[in-house]
């Protein structure tokens, strides 16, 4: 039974090759050879190839994971023209995952890029277990919690995210996650003379092993914000979290995201949902969001996709402290915060 | 007609579709910005980049693939982006943005300019052009995990040059030539040696022992000189290093003996240097160790990559021998009088520097480094990844949206942190600063003061090193304000060529002289006040002072916060901060805006180098800390709070 990434992944026994060293030079100089090797062993399942999916795929393929499987039963629509750079023009109606493979693969021939057309709802525990990481985008909460549970049972790292217009979120459940962190060593008074400790070199730091326990999405969604002890933290919790709740509720009900083609009716529906959602604190969500949450805005996909992919890289390499457990983004107001939301 | 812009709010849609944008740079940030622009509904974009594609770009500049290596970045980027939306108008310029072709009228043709650059000179230039053209500029930069974006609008915000940028770190000549104590000193020495042997010889890059070392008294210098027959000018060095090498046919073992034995023995005669220092050990080719003392099976050594393995001194000598042979051939293949230019990606040049730096380190008991690490330091490499660039590029576009929507008041400087700060922010937006009224670029009537020795500095040096390198003019004119309209420098070819080799004093420039300098292309006029000084710090040739009042001894700068990563030399550029844990830099001041609960921490920059940046002459332009309080009309918070917010909780600033 797998409990953590380190024990379950079979490392590619070979060293980084000269070819890889040349290609990955600028990132090896940042996170080191060891992290690059671990990346090279990572098998990623990415659900839905919308704008956010494309950004995550691009970043992970460039980083040099072992394999990236794009799972998407949906066809290309005109929405993809505004966010999905893997889809060539004139492919409306074709399967989103399949048409994305060619351009995605070209980003890095060393990564195995494949497409699956199965709906995520049909994924079984056995299938999920074949991966090290599962990234779920564009799914309603019910599907996210289902996938999260499957991942938990098999020690698969679970990350989720979505983008609605200017807004976006990322969530992570890495289970019981062990990682190494660089901690600067503070100079002791009367320390070593300048000669021995060169000033222009990196300040000394030591590597410390840490463990962080994550909680499943279900926990976070179960929080009662109206409870007395929550009200105190409510004021300091980002509004964007609650805007996301409304948008996810819309997705669950309508089976899609709010769209430009139905902007007015969608806006009305969103406001109605906001006012009726159980457990949603009033006055955390104004009206303005309804005109800023249409489609998937490309730069919003880029921010959320960048943060999410970097979390995958950190988690797989077990290097550096992960964000725990939500990243919330509002591109209209340049807000990007991390919230820890758990029962 | 449906298009990507349909999802934008109605207040933004039309201005996005109608906007004409200039993207300067098609590299790490540029590729990502271009993708965002095309997918967001922009219809008209011009892209300019002088560079071609390299293999090391491919881990993040995702518009390029292996088959594009060697081709123009601007052109390939535009071709690729066209594939995302064939109806967009994209124009590529494979050119330098600093070229005369791109004047104020060119810049005026754009609604906004977006910078995606990696060097200061170009940023300074574009800053001036946008000020002159009155076009808003969105500026950005990344290094490793960190990044930032800001907005520059003439008359409203600080310009790129309002706050003095820290000078490139340089080391005193005697440290490089006589008393190195750190690997970086050895690396700089090795690069200088390359130039002395194969490249463009520079008198400031001498590698032989320095008898003019200020640590030596007259006696010590004298006694050292006695051990060698003196020449007329008292200098013991008989021929140039290049001359000597050529005479000896670049024979590696002879070279080795001179540099790592004879010259070291000479240094040892300068006793004063070694009274408190570990003296160097002369090396002998045949008795070099073939194992590295103290190295075990550390993580670096389990790699089969030769780059990542520490070479014992014997191996360094072997590498040196091979590299010298090949470089000698390369030089011989060149036309007479031509020379090699050091390039970190040239295998032989890099081998040479790595081997020499390590041999020198071995002499002085300094620890050795792998070729991989030396390449970072010598080549000024900034580690870079796709995700940071993707995030920052997106924030550039969000600032552009604000400008197009008429929300200038909402524009911010945004910093990307590696970890959330105390207020949970991963992205830290900061209020934009107002222009510096004394900025020598964007003030109404810019003025600057330069201290130099009028009897020593030649006019040519004033033009090249002061006006062009330090003050970032491209094609300056300079008029002496002496009541007679004396033209010292004319940007027209040949007009003032006769003046070039003469000293300033000979041309009538004295203490207190004022020069009106201007660059026609940048539409930039600057008054330069000359203060005659025969004693400049650190043996500098000149010192630029932003404000005459700064000529008073500056208040000592606040102590750096823990974990400050010091900058390395001008030549070896690079920053420790960029390699590994990005540490916050030194001085921190805060501006607290109570209204929207926005805390902005502006930190002193730690002088990170950038890829390919040209080392400039040392300039010190006052202390940033001294200037800051003049700007902040918010009132600074009590010192106690300021300290609490510095260090690990502050946004880590990478230098733009």
């Amino acid at each position: 039974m797998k409990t953590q990434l380190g024990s379950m992944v079979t490392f590619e026994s070979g060293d980084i090759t000269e070819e890889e060293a040349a290609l990955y030079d600028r990132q090896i100089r940042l996170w080191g050879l060891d992290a690059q090797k671990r990346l090279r062993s990572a098998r990623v399942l990415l659900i839905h190839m919308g704008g956010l999916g494309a950004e995550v795929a691009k970043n992970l393929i460039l980083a040099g994971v072992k394999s990236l499987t794009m799972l998407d039963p949906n066809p290309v629509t005109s929405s993809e023209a505004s966010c999905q750079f893997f889809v060539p023009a004139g492919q409306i109606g074709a399967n989103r995952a399949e048409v994305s493979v060619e351009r995605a693969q070209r980003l890095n021939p060393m990564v195995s890029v494949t497409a699956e057309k199965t709906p995520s709802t049909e994924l079984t525990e056995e299938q999920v277990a074949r991966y090290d990481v599962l990234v779920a985008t564009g799914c309603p909460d019910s599907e996210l919690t289902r996938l999260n549970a499957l991942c938990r049972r098999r020690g698969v790292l679970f990350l989720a995210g979505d983008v609605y217009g200017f807004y976006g979120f990322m969530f992570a459940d890495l289970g019981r996650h062990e990682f190494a962190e660089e901690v600067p060593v503070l100079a002791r008074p009367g320390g070593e003379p300048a000669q021995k400790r060169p000033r222009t070199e990196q300040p000394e730091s030591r590597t410390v092993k840490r463990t962080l326990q994550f909680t499943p999405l279900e926990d976070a969604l179960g929080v009662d914000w109206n409870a007395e002890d929550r009200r105190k933290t409510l004021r300091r919790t980002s509004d964007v979290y609650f805007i996301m709740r409304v948008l996810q509720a819309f997705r669950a009900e309508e089976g899609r995201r709010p769209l430009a083609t139905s902007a007015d009716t969608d806006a009305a529906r969103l406001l109605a949902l906001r006012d009726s959602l159980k457990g949603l604190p009033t006055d955390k969500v104004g009206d303005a969001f309804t005109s800023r949450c249409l489609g998937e805005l490309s730069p919003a996909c880029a921010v959320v996709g960048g943060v999410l992919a970097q979390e995958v890289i950190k988690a797989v390499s077990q290097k550096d402290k992960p964000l725990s457990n939500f990243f919330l983004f509002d591109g209209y107001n340049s807000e990007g915060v991390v919230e820890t939301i758990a029962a | 007609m449906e298009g990507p812009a349909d999802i934008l709010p109605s207040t933004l849609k039309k201005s996005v579709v109608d906007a004409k944008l200039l993207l300067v740079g098609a590299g790490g940030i540029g590729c990502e910005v271009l993708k965002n622009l095309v997918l967001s509904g922009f219809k008209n974009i011009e892209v300019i980049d002088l560079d071609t594609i390299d293999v090391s770009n491919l881990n993040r500049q995702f518009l390029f693939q292996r088959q594009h290596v060697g081709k123009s970045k601007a052109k390939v980027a535009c071709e690729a982006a066209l594939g995302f939306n064939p109806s967009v108008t994209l124009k590529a310029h494979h050119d330098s943005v600093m070229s005369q072709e791109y004047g104020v009228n060119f810049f005026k043709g754009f609604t906004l300019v977006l910078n995606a650059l990696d060097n200061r000179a170009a940023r300074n230039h574009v800053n001036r052009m946008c000020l002159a053209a009155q076009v808003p500029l969105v500026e950005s930069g990344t290094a490793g995990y960190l990044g930032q974006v800001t907005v520059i609008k003439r008359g409203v915000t600080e310009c790129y040059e309002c706050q003095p940028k820290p000078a490139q770190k340089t080391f005193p000549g005697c440290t490089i030539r006589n008393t190195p104590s750190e690997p970086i000193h050895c690396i700089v020495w090795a690069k200088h040696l390359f130039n002395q042997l194969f490249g463009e010889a520079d008198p400031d890059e001498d590698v032989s022992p320095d008898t003019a070392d200020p640590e030596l008294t007259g006696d010590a210098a004298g006694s050292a000189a006695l051990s060698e027959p003196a020449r007329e000018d008292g200098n013991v060095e008989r021929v140039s290093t290049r001359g000597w090498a050529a005479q000896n046919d670049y024979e590696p073992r002879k070279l080795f003996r001179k540099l790592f034995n004879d010259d070291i023995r000479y240094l040892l005669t300068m006793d004063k240097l070694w009274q408190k220092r570990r003296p160097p050990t002369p090396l002998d080719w045949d008795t070099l160790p073939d194992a590295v003392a103290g190295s075990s099976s550390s993580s670096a050594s389990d790699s089969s990559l030769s780059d990542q393995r520490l070479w014992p001194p014997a191996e360094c000598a072997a590498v040196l021998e091979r590299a010298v042979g090949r470089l000698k051939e390369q030089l011989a293949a060149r036309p007479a009088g031509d020379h090699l230019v050091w390039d970190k990606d040239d295998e032989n040049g890099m081998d040479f520097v790595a081997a020499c730096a390590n041999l020198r380190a071995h002499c002085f008991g300094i620890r050795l480094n792998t070729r991989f690490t030396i390449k970072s330091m010598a080549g000024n490499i900034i580690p870079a990844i796709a995700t940071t660039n993707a995030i920052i590029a997106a924030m550039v576009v969000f600032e552009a949206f604000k400008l197009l929507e008429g929300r200038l008041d909402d524009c911010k400087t945004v910093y990307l942190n590696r970890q959330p700060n105390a207020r949970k922010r991963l992205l830290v937006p900061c209020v934009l600063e107002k222009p510096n009224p004394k900025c020598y670029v964007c003030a109404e009537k810019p003025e600057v003061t330069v201290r130099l020795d009028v009897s020593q500095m030649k006019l040519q040096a004033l033009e090249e090193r002061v006006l062009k390198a330090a003050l970032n003019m491209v094609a300056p004119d300079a008029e002496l304000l002496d009541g007679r309209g004396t033209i010292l420098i004319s940007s027209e070819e040949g007009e003032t060529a006769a003046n070039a080799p003469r000293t300033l004093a000979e041309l009538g420039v004295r203490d207190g002289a004022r020069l009106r300098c201007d660059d026609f292309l940048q539409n930039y006029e600057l008054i330069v006040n000359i203060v005659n000084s025969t004693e400049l710090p650190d043996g500098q040739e000149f010192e630029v002072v932003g404000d005459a009042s700064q000529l008073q001894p500056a208040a000592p700068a606040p102590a750096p916060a823990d974990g400050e990563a010091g900058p390395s030399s001008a030549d070896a550029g690079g920053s420790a901060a960029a390699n590994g844990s990005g540490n916050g830099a030194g001085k921190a001041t805060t501006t607290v805006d109570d209204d929207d609960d926005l805390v902005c921490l502006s930190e002193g920059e730690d002088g990170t180098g950038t890829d390919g940046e040209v080392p400039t002459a040392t300039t010190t332009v006052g202390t940033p800390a001294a200037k800051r309080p003049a700007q902040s009309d918010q009132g600074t918070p009590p010192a106690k709070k300021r300290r609490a917010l510095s260090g690990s909780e502050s946004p880590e600033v990478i230098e733009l």
Side-chain angles (χ1 to χ4, degrees):
Chain A
M1 169 106 152
K2 300 170 194 173
T3 50
Q4 63 174 39
L5 180 64
S7 58
M8 76 185 179
V9 168
T10 31
F11 284 103
E12 297 292 71
S13 52
D15 287 331
I16 296 285
T17 64
E18 296 283 351
E19 190 190 355
E20 285 171 311
L23 178 63
Y24 299 133
D25 184 80
R26 297 300 190 263
Q27 63 202 43
I28 289 173
R29 287 179 194 278
L30 188 62
W31 54 55
L33 271 177
D34 193 58
Q36 190 62 45
K37 274 201 225 171
R38 285 168 182 253
L39 269 173
R40 197 177 53 177
S41 313
R43 300 157 298 171
V44 181
L45 175 61
L46 174 58
I47 295 174
H48 296 148
M49 287 303 294
L52 178 59
E55 287 283 345
V56 173
K58 159 180 63 81
N59 293 332
L60 292 181
I61 292 170
L62 289 172
V65 294
K66 178 174 179 164
S67 64
L68 187 102
T69 306
M70 304 174 172
L71 185 146
D72 200 338
N74 298 305
V76 175
T77 68
S78 59
S79 299
E80 267 68 47
S82 64
C83 58
Q84 224 278 39
F85 44 83
F86 290 134
V87 173
Q91 291 285 339
I92 301 215
N95 176 271
R96 254 188 343 190
E98 283 181 341
V99 299
S100 299
V101 171
E102 189 185 334
R103 285 186 181 179
Q105 180 68 83
R106 269 195 251 144
L107 290 181
N108 189 348
M110 298 199 229
V111 177
S112 166
V113 180
T114 52
E116 292 281 340
K117 301 204 289 197
T118 342
S120 75
T121 45
E122 288 173 25
L123 279 173
T124 64
E125 189 179 310
E126 284 314 308
Q127 290 169 314
V128 164
R130 286 189 222 134
Y131 300 92
D132 304 304
V133 187
L134 191 156
V135 178
T137 71
C139 297
D141 289 343
S142 55
E143 179 59 2
L144 292 177
T145 50
R146 187 189 82 88
L147 291 168
N148 193 174
L150 293 182
C151 287
R152 280 214 138 215
R153 287 212 282 279
R154 303 302 283 257
V156 175
L157 301 171
F158 176 77
L159 292 99
D162 215 333
V163 169
Y164 296 95
F166 283 78
Y167 304 103
F169 82 93
M170 178 218 75
F171 166 82
D173 177 6
L174 309 180
R176 190 171 174 279
H177 182 69
E178 283 185 10
F179 61 96
E181 193 175 22
E182 297 261 317
V183 176
V185 172
L186 301 175
R188 275 175 239 120
E192 298 176 309
Q195 252 182 22
K196 286 191 188 168
R197 221 159 58 80
R199 278 168 298 113
T200 59
E201 301 275 308
Q202 278 211 56
E204 281 176 28
S205 61
R206 58 199 177 97
T207 310
V208 177
K209 265 218 165 99
R210 293 231 143 99
T211 311
L212 202 52
Q213 180 65 57
F214 283 76
T215 55
L217 180 60
E218 203 157 24
D219 257 26
L221 298 179
V223 164
D224 177 8
W225 292 98
N226 291 313
E228 193 49 51
D229 58 340
R230 280 287 166 179
R231 302 223 119 254
K232 278 177 285 186
T233 50
L234 187 59
R235 193 184 81 83
R236 281 183 284 122
T237 303
S238 168
D239 294 353
V240 182
Y241 179 73
F242 301 99
I243 294 174
M244 279 298 133
R245 299 284 90 243
V246 179
L247 290 163
Q248 287 290 92
F250 182 97
R251 183 186 273 292
E253 277 208 8
E254 308 290 329
R256 61 172 175 85
R257 59 176 60 263
L259 297 168
T261 42
S262 43
D264 292 337
T265 44
D266 286 353
R269 185 76 201 110
L270 283 164
L271 292 175
L273 272 171
R274 173 201 59 189
D275 297 335
S276 65
L277 259 187
K278 212 165 46 123
L280 187 79
T282 50
D283 74 73
K284 275 308 250 187
V285 181
D287 290 356
F289 80 101
T290 58
S291 63
R292 299 173 194 161
C293 66
L294 308 176
E296 278 182 283
L297 194 52
S298 162
C301 295
V303 173
V304 179
V307 172
L308 200 160
Q310 196 54 41
E311 290 307 298
V312 172
I313 290 167
K314 280 198 251 174
V316 159
S317 61
Q318 290 184 274
K319 187 179 151 69
D320 297 339
K321 188 172 173 205
L323 302 181
S324 171
N325 51 356
F326 282 89
F327 170 71
L328 297 154
F329 181 66
D330 172 357
Y332 199 79
N333 294 310
S334 304
E335 180 181 326
V337 297
V338 174
E339 295 282 2
T340 307
I341 298 173
Chain B
M1 175 76 172
E2 266 188 22
D6 286 346
I7 58 175
L8 296 171
S10 51
T11 43
L12 184 52
K13 195 184 321 199
K14 186 168 193 307
S15 35
V16 163
V17 170
D18 292 344
K20 289 191 63 176
L21 298 188
L22 175 65
L23 174 60
V24 187
I29 298 177
C31 283
E32 293 280 347
V33 171
L34 186 58
K35 170 253 302 171
N36 289 333
L37 294 177
V38 169
L39 293 177
S40 296
F42 288 90
K43 290 270 169 221
N44 210 310
I45 308 162
E46 289 189 38
V47 182
I48 181 165
D49 194 316
L50 49 64
D51 214 356
T52 53
I53 297 160
D54 179 71
V55 163
S56 63
N57 300 149
L58 302 179
N59 80 321
R60 65 202 181 279
Q61 299 174 23
F62 79 105
L63 299 179
F64 313 141
Q65 270 93 60
R66 207 163 272 273
Q67 71 264 26
H68 298 130
V69 171
K71 296 196 175 153
S72 150
K73 287 190 179 184
K75 290 188 181 160
V76 177
C78 286
E79 273 161 28
L82 213 52
F84 305 155
N85 186 347
S87 71
V88 179
T89 306
L90 294 174
K91 184 169 181 191
H93 302 268
H94 182 192
D95 222 338
S96 164
V97 74
M98 296 172 69
S99 135
Q100 304 272 347
E101 256 184 80
Y102 306 105
V104 177
N105 283 331
F106 172 76
F107 280 83
K108 277 187 178 168
F110 298 102
T111 323
L112 297 180
V113 175
L114 310 179
N115 265 357
L117 290 163
D118 62 2
N119 71 89
R120 222 189 258 183
R123 285 184 169 121
N124 285 331
H125 182 76
V126 175
N127 178 53
R128 293 172 187 199
M129 300 310 287
C130 289
L131 290 171
Q134 305 221 52
V135 177
L137 171 63
V138 184
E139 179 57 84
S140 63
T142 59
Y145 299 114
L146 309 178
Q148 64 190 83
V149 176
T150 193
V151 172
I152 294 170
K153 183 153 158 66
R154 178 169 135 182
V156 180
T157 73
E158 271 189 349
C159 82
Y160 181 68
E161 296 173 87
C162 272
Q163 292 300 326
K165 300 278 187 295
Q168 295 275 248
K169 171 85 178 161
T170 53
F171 299 99
C174 48
T175 306
I176 302 298
R177 293 167 68 180
N178 291 1
T179 49
S181 57
E182 296 170 26
I184 189 67
H185 303 149
C186 303
I187 293 168
V188 171
W189 179 87
K191 285 182 72 180
H192 288 178
L193 177 64
F194 178 95
N195 284 340
Q196 293 286 305
L197 291 175
F198 306 106
E200 187 165 19
D202 184 337
D204 291 335
E205 290 180 351
D206 208 330
V207 292
S208 56
D210 181 9
T211 50
D213 190 326
E215 276 195 49
L216 302 166
T217 64
D219 292 349
S223 65
L226 281 174
S227 63
E228 295 269 353
R231 298 199 307 166
E232 284 111 43
D233 57 10
N235 200 335
V236 180
E237 187 72 8
R238 300 158 198 238
V239 289
S240 71
T241 309
R242 171 90 117 255
W244 180 92
Q247 279 173 14
N248 287 277
D249 201 30
Y250 284 88
E251 213 285 308
R253 297 194 188 212
K254 282 192 181 162
L255 215 57
F256 178 97
R257 196 175 52 238
K258 172 180 169 26
L259 297 165
F260 301 111
N261 196 301
D262 298 341
D263 283 355
I264 302 297
R265 285 183 194 284
Y266 188 81
L267 280 176
L268 286 169
T269 64
M270 296 149 96
D271 325 289
K272 268 218 156 51
L273 297 179
W274 315 114
Q275 278 165 8
K276 291 189 179 145
R277 289 188 183 91
R278 177 210 185 278
T281 316
L283 301 183
D284 183 56
W285 186 284
D286 298 314
T287 59
L288 290 171
D290 52 18
V292 180
S295 86
S296 53
S297 52
S298 54
S299 57
S301 62
D302 68 355
S303 163
S304 62
L305 299 168
S306 57
D307 232 32
Q308 299 256 8
R309 203 176 29 85
L310 275 176
W311 299 337
E315 189 170 353
C316 293
V319 171
L320 172 64
E321 187 164 33
R322 185 184 67 207
V324 166
R326 293 189 185 157
L327 290 168
K328 171 180 136 188
E329 278 166 38
Q330 274 184 36
L331 184 61
R334 294 284 246 240
D338 201 3
H339 55 80
L340 302 183
V341 176
W342 188 79
D343 183 340
K344 66 184 185 298
D345 293 317
D346 171 53
E347 296 307 304
N348 297 316
M350 193 56 238
D351 278 346
F352 177 87
V353 165
C356 289
N358 273 334
L359 285 168
R360 186 156 174 91
H362 184 57
C363 277
F364 285 85
I366 299 169
R367 52 160 238 270
L368 306 186
N369 274 299
T370 62
R371 186 185 187 278
F372 183 79
T373 304
I374 292 173
K375 185 171 179 180
S376 270
M377 296 165 89
N380 220 347
I381 298 180
I382 304 286
I385 51 178
T387 51
T388 308
N389 284 335
I391 295 166
I392 290 301
M395 298 314 289
V396 166
V397 176
F398 282 119
E399 290 305 308
F401 281 160
K402 291 177 194 172
L403 288 165
L404 291 169
E405 214 180 348
R407 294 167 58 205
L408 180 56
D409 289 343
D410 292 340
C411 287
K412 299 273 187 279
T413 298
V414 182
Y415 297 97
L416 171 64
N417 270 356
R418 199 169 165 184
Q419 288 288 328
N421 68 7
R423 301 166 74 93
K424 304 188 279 186
R425 293 179 204 266
L426 198 61
L427 291 167
V428 185
C430 293
V431 170
L432 294 171
E433 302 278 352
K434 294 193 173 40
N436 173 4
K438 293 188 173 153
C439 173
Y440 72 85
V441 173
C442 75
E444 266 305 308
K445 292 188 183 312
E447 274 204 37
V448 82
T449 299
V450 181
R451 293 174 60 196
L452 45 75
D453 188 334
V454 297
S455 65
Q456 292 294 314
M457 177 166 282
K458 304 201 166 63
L459 186 68
Q460 170 145 48
L462 181 79
E463 180 175 357
E464 295 300 323
R465 295 214 265 271
V466 181
L467 298 183
K468 287 184 178 172
L471 296 174
N472 294 291
M473 296 177 141
V474 174
D477 295 298
E479 176 194 341
L480 178 60
L481 296 177
D482 58 359
R484 288 174 290 187
T486 307
I487 305 288
L488 292 176
I489 300 170
S490 167
S491 52
E492 299 292 325
E493 283 247 10
E495 265 187 24
T496 47
N499 290 342
R502 304 174 69 190
T503 66
L504 295 180
E506 284 168 20
L507 293 165
V509 178
R510 285 181 281 279
D511 184 44
R514 281 162 65 86
L515 307 177
R516 182 191 293 137
C517 304
D518 78 280
D519 186 309
F520 180 71
L521 188 71
Q522 294 172 349
N523 206 354
Y524 171 50
E525 186 182 292
L526 174 70
I527 301 288
V528 176
N529 294 294
I530 301 291
V531 169
N532 189 43
S533 172
T534 51
E535 274 165 23
L536 287 162
D538 268 351
Q540 292 164 35
E541 198 184 356
F542 64 91
E543 187 187 16
V544 176
V545 179
D547 179 355
S549 67
Q550 308 254 348
L551 285 175
Q552 305 306 320
D562 282 333
E564 176 187 31
S568 30
S569 91
D571 291 352
S575 153
N579 282 319
S581 53
N583 290 305
K587 321 140 208 162
T589 58
T590 63
T591 357
V592 178
D593 182 339
D594 285 329
D595 280 346
D596 41 8
D597 214 12
L598 202 69
V599 176
C600 165
L601 300 163
S602 31
E603 299 217 307
E605 280 121 14
D606 69 352
T608 50
T610 56
D611 225 330
E613 187 169 306
V614 175
T616 55
T618 313
T619 62
T620 26
V621 198
T623 10
K627 283 199 168 197
R628 276 272 168 207
Q631 322 257 317
S632 114
D633 39 4
Q634 304 281 359
T636 44
K640 203 161 107 183
K641 193 170 181 184
R642 197 178 305 165
R643 250 193 298 281
L645 286 165
S646 69
S648 59
E649 294 174 342
S650 45
E652 301 171 60
V653 174
I654 54 100
E655 186 191 290
L656 280 189

